[in-house]
Amino acid sequence: QVQLVESGGGLVQAGGSLRLSCAASGRTFSFYAMGWFRQAPGKERELVGRIMWSGGSTYYADSVKGRFTISRDNVKNTVYLQMNSLKPEDTAVYYCAARDTPYGPTYTYWGQGTQVTVSS
């Protein structure tokens, strides 16, 4: 059984910062990567970025590159999404997810999501 629990969302003004956390429990040894996704109202869910569970290499969507940073603490089984220079268009529900395959787009485990609202 795998459980992912996000926290840290909230309301922030444009230009501000937030840090999201995703605490994982259960079969974390099966993880290859952790991803952060977001879904804004009326839009499809999109990948914000991901970090490899071993090695820590990262990938970011162009829309957040240079503003968002993903990190992990393997001891705490926690992944973070540091969001700086937030824009109103970053408003969305943010989800963390775990991928238990070495490659590919499919993430097997998902958290419940946390709302991020950026006011202009």
Side-chain angles (χ1 to χ4, degrees):
Q1 184 97 11
V2 171
Q3 188 172 21
L4 304 178
V5 179
E6 301 101 334
S7 61
L11 173 65
V12 64
Q13 288 188 333
S17 298
L18 279 176
R19 189 177 81 156
L20 307 184
S21 300
C22 174
S25 60
R27 297 172 53 90
T28 58
F29 59 85
S30 68
F31 294 174
Y32 282 90
M34 297 290 293
W36 283 100
F37 292 78
R38 67 185 181 185
Q39 187 166 22
K43 295 188 177 181
E44 293 188 357
R45 185 174 60 198
E46 63 173 346
L47 175 66
V48 173
R50 67 101 178 104
I51 186 166
M52 300 305 291
W53 196 250
S54 176
S57 67
T58 53
Y59 161 84
Y60 298 98
D62 287 343
S63 58
V64 305
K65 200 173 294 183
R67 299 188 298 122
F68 291 11
T69 303
I70 299 175
S71 61
R72 81 208 189 287
D73 183 330
N74 285 15
V75 174
K76 295 182 178 180
N77 288 334
T78 300
V79 175
Y80 304 97
L81 178 65
Q82 177 66 44
M83 305 185 292
N84 298 328
S85 302
L86 283 161
K87 305 175 182 179
E89 51 263 44
D90 295 318
T91 296
V93 177
Y94 283 71
Y95 301 88
C96 69
R99 193 178 80 202
D100 58 2
T101 56
Y103 306 102
T106 302
Y107 285 74
T108 305
Y109 307 104
W110 292 83
Q112 82 286 353
T114 185
Q115 177 71 45
V116 171
T117 303
V118 184
S119 64
S120 57

